[in-house]
Amino acid sequence: MCVPACTKRIAAEVNRRSFLRATAGLVGAAALAGCAPVSATPPAGSAAAAVGAMGETYRFSRIVDLTHTLAPDFPTFGGDPQLEMETLVTLANDGYNMYRWLLVEHTGTHMDAPFHFSDGLSADQIPAAELFGPLAIIDIRAKAEENPDAQLTPEDIAAWESQHGPLPDGAIVAMYSGWDAFVTTDKFRNADDSGVMHFPGFHIEAIEMLLTERNVKGIFVDTLSLDYGPSADFAVHYRWLPANKWGIENVANLGLLPPIGAIAIVGGPTIAGATGGPSRIFALV
């Protein structure tokens, strides 16, 4: 754990370099400041510290990976594989391993950048400070079990706030439907005989609430889309992303986190002009 003077030095270094890329960034900032590195798994009974873009300090005792492992057979919105890996060289023949990827941006646990549905920011243009914030997890599993077309509504937000208080300023709001449990089965897409998919998503009225009445940086879903499966108009995408907000689809392991108290870190892609892309997502608890 850093002493207060060390924490201030880390804060200055983080602010100077915008060095907020998941745990590696925290460790790097500590090293640059001349402090002992922050462990990804702090000793039992202890807490590590992360420093936000404005110098705020967040303490945590564990890191939870919210990312699915991506493979060529990972389920996709369109149903067809979206990752191919071509072997270029091998350790046995060439002394090292390397692949060429043929990848659709919106595959696996991935970001939808504003540019995906608007002329807004591309993935690489999103400021690092916008990819780090308090995580609010809204549990709609009971609704999703009864109805796969369940949506996160303003009433769900109000119910969460009645228990936990107002959504934190600069929050990242996650829809937790429990759908990640089906990622290796056909139920993840849950397509009917006519090809229409059925899985949960955000309701457009909840998006309006988050945009006009709350200060939220981004949203997470544990399903294939920010919109619910049967959506024909992508209303959530067309409202949320053009507001220069971002979303993450196919998030994993939300059930390992408390409804409030965790800090989310989004390692979004930094490919120039990208509409999104596979991302590594962490939560500090």
Side-chain angles (χ1 to χ4, degrees):
M1 184 185 301
C2 295
V3 297
C6 183
T7 300
K8 290 180 180 178
R9 291 168 69 187
I10 293 177
E13 199 65 36
V14 171
N15 289 335
R16 183 171 72 84
R17 295 176 178 261
S18 297
F19 204 9
L20 289 170
R21 294 175 187 260
T23 311
L26 303 176
V27 174
L32 288 168
C35 304
V38 177
S39 171
T41 307
S46 68
V51 183
M54 302 305 294
E56 65 272 33
T57 300
Y58 302 96
R59 300 195 177 278
F60 64 97
S61 58
R62 62 190 176 98
I63 297 175
V64 177
D65 194 339
L66 304 182
T67 316
H68 287 291
T69 297
L70 179 56
D73 62 350
F74 193 91
T76 65
F77 189 86
D80 295 325
Q82 295 185 169
L83 170 65
E84 297 178 19
M85 299 177 67
E86 176 190 354
T87 300
L88 295 182
V89 297
T90 65
L91 184 65
N93 294 332
D94 307 284
Y96 62 102
N97 295 312
M98 187 164 61
Y99 296 94
R100 176 186 287 121
W101 300 347
L102 179 61
L103 174 73
V104 177
E105 290 173 313
H106 298 272
T107 306
T109 302
H110 70 272
M111 170 183 286
D112 279 9
F115 188 47
H116 186 34
F117 272 69
S118 74
D119 59 359
L121 298 175
S122 56
D124 58 298
Q125 295 173 329
I126 300 172
E130 293 299 305
L131 301 174
F132 179 99
L135 183 58
I137 300 176
I138 300 180
D139 189 340
I140 67 163
R141 284 178 297 167
K143 291 201 307 183
E145 287 177 5
E146 293 184 2
N147 177 16
D149 295 334
Q151 297 177 75
L152 190 156
T153 65
E155 291 74 23
D156 295 313
I157 297 173
W160 187 95
E161 290 186 324
S162 71
Q163 286 188 283
H164 307 293
L167 286 173
D169 192 52
I172 295 169
V173 177
M175 179 199 76
Y176 175 35
S177 69
W179 221 250
D180 61 330
F182 308 130
V183 73
T184 60
T185 73
D186 290 341
K187 189 173 180 179
F188 196 68
R189 294 186 76 250
N190 204 26
D192 61 25
D193 292 340
S194 62
V196 176
M197 291 178 288
H198 298 275
F199 53 74
F202 274 83
H203 194 285
I204 186 60
E205 292 178 1
I207 292 300
E208 291 289 350
M209 181 180 184
L210 295 180
L211 285 174
T212 61
E213 301 177 29
R214 304 291 188 273
N215 178 24
V216 172
K217 291 180 177 179
I219 57 176
F220 289 174
V221 295
D222 54 4
T223 59
L224 278 164
S225 177
L226 306 179
D227 287 276
Y228 78 136
S231 174
D233 60 5
F234 297 100
V236 169
H237 281 81
Y238 276 113
R239 183 68 178 100
W240 184 251
L241 300 179
N244 262 336
K245 302 291 187 178
W246 53 265
I248 303 292
E249 296 170 339
N250 299 321
V251 173
N253 297 326
L254 290 172
L256 300 180
L257 300 172
I260 190 171
I263 302 298
I265 297 175
V266 176
T270 52
I271 298 174
T275 71
S279 302
R280 192 77 182 265
I281 316 299
F282 298 97
L284 311 181
V285 189

